[in-house]
C-alpha cells in the first residue's frame, strides 16, 4: 500500500530537516515545515515528505510546539493501529528483559524517543506503572497505549495493579496541554487506596511516593552507579550530598561503610531517606542533615572527616542559555569536595543534564582539581542504566555523566 493511500496530510520539509531525519533524528522543528497539503488537527499523524515528494516518515503534528513533528515511523507500510503500538510495547519490554535480566521489580519500561514513543515515559515501581506524557500525539492515543501496557506486562507475569499519570509538569503547556495527576481508569480494575509502594533495587527497599515524589517518584537511572559506589564504600566514612530519598547513602551502607551522613535541602527528602534507612534496618550506620550543600561544604569543621563524598545534584541547567552558570555551580561543589577529601579519598560526581555535555563536565572537573591542588585518578566513567537507552543519533537521550575518582 502506498503511503499516499492512507489519507494523511502531507508535510513537506526542508532539505536540512530531511538530512537530519535520514540520519536518524525524529524531530522536525517549526521552521523546517515548508508546506502542508491540507488542514491538520494538532496531535494527528502526518506523512512527512521531501521537497521532491519522497516519503521520509510519519509523525505527530502539533502547531503549539517548536518541535512541530515528532516522528514515530520511517516505514511507509506501517499501519498505526493498536497492533502497531502493542508490537512497540512488546519490543520495549523484551529489550528490558534482555538488558536487565531478572532485575525488573523497578525499571523504566519506555524512554520516549529511545523506544519510538516520543514524549512518553513509563516507569515500573513494583506493581504500579507511572506514566508521564509530554507530547500531544501520545496524549491523544493513551486510551490505546495504556491498556496495552497493562496487558503486555501482565501477560508476562508482572502483576501490574494500576497506572498513575504524573503530568504535573509545565512543559505540557508548550504542547497545548494542561497539567494534572491521578490514576488512569482501566476498565474493571479497582484502584489502589494509596499512592505509594515499596520497590527493591540492588537488594535495598525504598518507599516510593509516586504522587508527590520528584519526576515519577524515584530516579531509576542511577541503579548500577549506586552499585559501583557500594563496592567502594567498605570501611569508609561517606558524605552523600543531595541524597533525595537516600539511594546512594543506603547502597554505601549495604557495601559496608563505617558511617554515612545523608544531606538534602528538602526536609521531605530527608524524612523519606530516614524512613528508607529504617525500612532496611540501617539507622545505626546513618545520620541525616537538612542543609544546602553549597552552604554546608565550605563550613564543615576539620574534625568532621569523610573519605568518600558523593555529589548527585539536580540538573543545574535545563537549557543552553544557563550552561555557564551551571558550570560555576558544578565547579563550586566539586572543588569543595576535593578540598575536604584527604589524599587517597574517593569522589563520586555526576551531572544529569543533557546540556552539560561530557566534555564540558570534564573541563569543569579538571579546573576544580587544579584549583584544589589535587590530582584525580579515574576509577570509572559511567552513564545511565541500560533501561534508559541512548540512541547515538538522538543526542538528547544521552544525559547522565557519572565519574568515580580517587584523590591523589
Amino acid at each position: 500500500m502506498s503511503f499516499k493511500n492512507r489519507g494523511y496530510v502531507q508535510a513537506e520539509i526542508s532539505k536540512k530537516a530531511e538530512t537530519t531525519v535520514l540520519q536518524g533524528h525524529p524531530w522536525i522543528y517549526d521552521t523546517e515545515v515548508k508546506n502542508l497539503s491540507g488542514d491538520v488537527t494538532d496531535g494527528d499523524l502526518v506523512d512527512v515528505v521531501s521537497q521532491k515528494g519522497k516519503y521520509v516518515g510519519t509523525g505527530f503534528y502539533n502547531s503549539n510546539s517548536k518541535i512541530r513533528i515528532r516522528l514515530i515511523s520511517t516505514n511507509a507500510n506501517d499501519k498505526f493501529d493498536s497492533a502497531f503500538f502493542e508490537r512497540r510495547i512488546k519490543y520495549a519490554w523484551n529489550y528490558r528483559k534482555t538488558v536487565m535480566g531478572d532485575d525488573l521489580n523497578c525499571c523504566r519500561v519506555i524512554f520516549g524517543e529511545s523506544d519510538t514513543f516520543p514524549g512518553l515515559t513509563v516507569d515500573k515501581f513494583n506493581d504500579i506503572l507511572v506514566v508521564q506524557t509530554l507530547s500531544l500525539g501520545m496524549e491523544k492515543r493513551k486510551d490505546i497505549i495504556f491498556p496495552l501496557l497493562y496487558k503486555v506486562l501482565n501477560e508476562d507475569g508482572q502483576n501490574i495493579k494500576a497506572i498513575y499519570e504524573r503530568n504535573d509538569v509545565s512543559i505540557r503547556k508548550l504542547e497545548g496541554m494542561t497539567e494534572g495527576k491521578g490514576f488512569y481508569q482501566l476498565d474493571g480494575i479497582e484502584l489502589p487506596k494509596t499512592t505509594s509502594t515499596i520497590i527493591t533495587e540492588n537488594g535495598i527497599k525504598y518507599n516510593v511516593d509516586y504522587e508527590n515524589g520528584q519526576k515519577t517518584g524515584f530516579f531509576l537511572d542511577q541503579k548500577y552507579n549506586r552499585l559501583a559506589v557500594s563496592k567502594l564504600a567498605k570501611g569508609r566514612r561517606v558524605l552523600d550530598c543531595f541524597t533525595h530519598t537516600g539511594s546512594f547513602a543506603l547502597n554505601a551502607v549495604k557495601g559496608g561503610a563505617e558511617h554515612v551522613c545523608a544531606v538534602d535541602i528538602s526536609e521531605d527528602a530527608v524524612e523519606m531517606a530516614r524512613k528508607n534507612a529504617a525500612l532496611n534496618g540501617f539507622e545505626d550506620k546513618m545520620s541525616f542533615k537538612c542543609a544546602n550543600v553549597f552552604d554546608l561544604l565550605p563550613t564543615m569543621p576539620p574534625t568532621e572527616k569523610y573519605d568518600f563524598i558523593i555529589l548527585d545534584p539536580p540538573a543545574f541547567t535545563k537549557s543552553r542559555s544557563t550552561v555557564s552558570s551551571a558550570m560555576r555551580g558544578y565547579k563550586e561543589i566539586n572543588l569543595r569536595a576535593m578540598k575536604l577529601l584527604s589524599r587517597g579519598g574517593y569522589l563520586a560526581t555526576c551531572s544529569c543534564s543533557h546540556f552539560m555535555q561530557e566534555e564540558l563536565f570534564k573541563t569543569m572537573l579538571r579546573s576544580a582539581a587544579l584549583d584544589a591542588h589535587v590530582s584525580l585518578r579515574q576509577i570509572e566513567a559511567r552513564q545511565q542504566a541500560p533501561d534508559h537507552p541512548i540512541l547515538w543519533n538522538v543526542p538528547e537521550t544521552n544525559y547522565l555523566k557519572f565519574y568515580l575518582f580517587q584523590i591523589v
Side-chain angles (χ1 to χ4, degrees):
M1 180 184 75
S2 169
F3 75 93
K4 294 181 180 179
N5 295 330
R6 290 194 295 215
Y8 295 150
V9 168
Q10 292 182 26
E12 180 188 309
I13 60 172
S14 68
K15 181 65 178 177
K16 177 185 175 184
E18 179 189 359
T19 300
T20 300
V21 170
L22 292 176
Q23 290 173 345
H25 203 291
W27 294 351
I28 298 166
Y29 290 93
D30 52 354
T31 57
E32 296 172 334
V33 178
K34 298 304 179 184
N35 187 44
L36 293 170
S37 66
D39 295 330
V40 58
T41 302
D42 288 334
D44 281 358
L45 289 167
V46 295
D47 283 325
V48 178
V49 297
S50 70
Q51 292 180 329
K52 293 182 179 180
K54 180 183 177 183
Y55 176 80
V56 175
T58 303
F60 299 126
Y61 182 89
N62 191 349
S63 64
N64 297 293
S65 176
K66 291 187 72 67
I67 305 174
R68 193 55 46 94
I69 301 171
R70 299 172 186 264
L71 293 182
I72 63 167
S73 175
T74 55
N75 184 344
N77 296 314
D78 271 337
K79 184 180 178 182
F80 304 103
D81 54 9
S82 60
F84 169 85
F85 289 109
E86 184 169 357
R87 285 195 305 273
R88 285 282 175 88
I89 292 167
K90 286 181 176 178
Y91 189 80
W93 180 241
N94 286 333
Y95 166 81
R96 270 69 187 181
K97 288 166 65 177
T98 299
V99 299
M100 308 298 283
D102 295 330
D103 192 10
L104 295 170
N105 177 263
C106 53
C107 66
R108 178 149 294 182
V109 178
I110 290 177
F111 183 40
E113 280 72 1
S114 287
D115 292 298
T116 56
F117 282 88
L120 180 66
T121 296
V122 181
D123 284 341
K124 178 181 181 293
F125 299 124
N126 191 9
D127 53 6
I128 302 293
L129 294 181
V130 182
V131 298
Q132 195 166 76
T133 312
L134 302 182
S135 74
L136 183 59
M138 284 289 131
E139 178 76 14
K140 291 182 74 169
R141 283 154 188 84
K142 70 181 184 181
D143 291 340
I144 298 173
I145 294 169
F146 291 1
L148 287 172
L149 279 164
Y150 181 84
K151 173 190 172 186
V152 168
L153 269 69
N154 279 340
E155 284 180 349
D156 196 49
Q158 295 303 307
N159 192 31
I160 301 302
K161 293 180 179 176
I163 295 176
Y164 192 85
E165 296 186 82
R166 276 299 301 267
N167 290 328
D168 51 336
V169 282
S170 60
I171 196 171
R172 278 175 58 93
K173 295 178 181 177
L174 301 178
E175 288 273 314
M177 298 185 288
T178 58
E179 295 181 49
K181 56 184 177 179
F183 283 107
Y184 177 81
Q185 184 63 63
L186 292 157
D187 289 342
I189 304 301
E190 184 178 349
L191 296 177
K193 299 294 191 293
T194 65
T195 54
S196 64
T197 189
I198 294 177
I199 62 170
T200 302
E201 181 197 82
N202 301 340
I204 299 170
K205 295 184 183 299
Y206 298 90
N207 293 282
V208 174
D209 178 355
Y210 52 84
E211 178 184 15
N212 300 306
Q214 291 187 32
K215 299 289 187 180
T216 59
F218 187 83
F219 295 110
L220 295 166
D221 50 5
Q222 296 269 30
K223 178 182 291 190
Y224 299 131
N225 299 337
R226 294 171 189 137
L227 269 184
V229 161
S230 179
K231 292 174 183 176
L232 293 178
K234 188 173 182 178
R236 306 195 184 283
R237 293 185 59 79
V238 180
L239 178 65
D240 178 26
C241 300
F242 310 97
T243 196
H244 190 222
T245 55
S247 52
F248 274 108
L250 295 173
N251 275 265
V253 174
K254 192 171 189 294
E258 177 187 321
H259 182 81
V260 181
C261 178
V263 180
D264 202 281
I265 195 171
S266 163
E267 290 183 3
D268 289 342
V270 170
E271 182 57 29
M272 182 62 80
R274 281 198 183 96
K275 288 180 179 178
N276 287 332
L279 185 63
N280 291 277
F282 290 168
E283 308 100 308
D284 292 346
K285 292 278 189 175
M286 298 184 68
S287 59
F288 302 88
K289 287 184 181 180
C290 184
N292 186 327
V293 172
F294 284 91
D295 296 333
L296 177 68
L297 294 181
T299 59
M300 291 190 71
T303 54
E304 199 165 351
K305 283 288 187 183
Y306 294 96
D307 45 17
F308 193 172
I309 296 179
I310 302 162
L311 300 174
D312 180 25
F316 288 162
T317 176
K318 296 184 179 179
S319 70
R320 288 184 178 85
S321 62
T322 57
V323 167
S324 294
S325 62
M327 283 277 282
R328 291 192 292 272
Y330 283 117
K331 182 176 178 180
E332 170 69 13
I333 57 173
N334 279 276
L335 172 63
R336 295 294 180 181
M338 291 175 194
K339 285 185 172 180
L340 282 170
L341 288 165
S342 301
R343 293 292 193 273
Y346 291 86
L347 173 67
T349 183
C350 62
S351 167
C352 60
S353 170
H354 157 69
F355 295 100
M356 178 55 61
Q357 295 181 354
E358 187 170 6
E359 284 306 314
L360 284 175
F361 194 64
K362 288 163 72 174
T363 297
M364 176 278 299
L365 288 169
R366 290 189 188 98
S367 178
L370 183 65
D371 289 357
H373 307 293
V374 302
S375 294
L376 300 176
R377 174 183 286 155
Q378 181 175 312
I379 302 164
E380 282 191 87
R382 304 179 59 86
Q383 294 177 298
Q384 62 234 45
D387 55 343
H388 297 62
I390 297 168
L391 292 184
W392 277 32
N393 48 1
V394 187
E396 292 81 2
T397 63
N398 183 3
Y399 66 95
L400 183 60
K401 284 75 57 181
F402 182 91
Y403 286 90
L404 283 169
F405 296 110
Q406 186 181 40
I407 305 298
V408 296

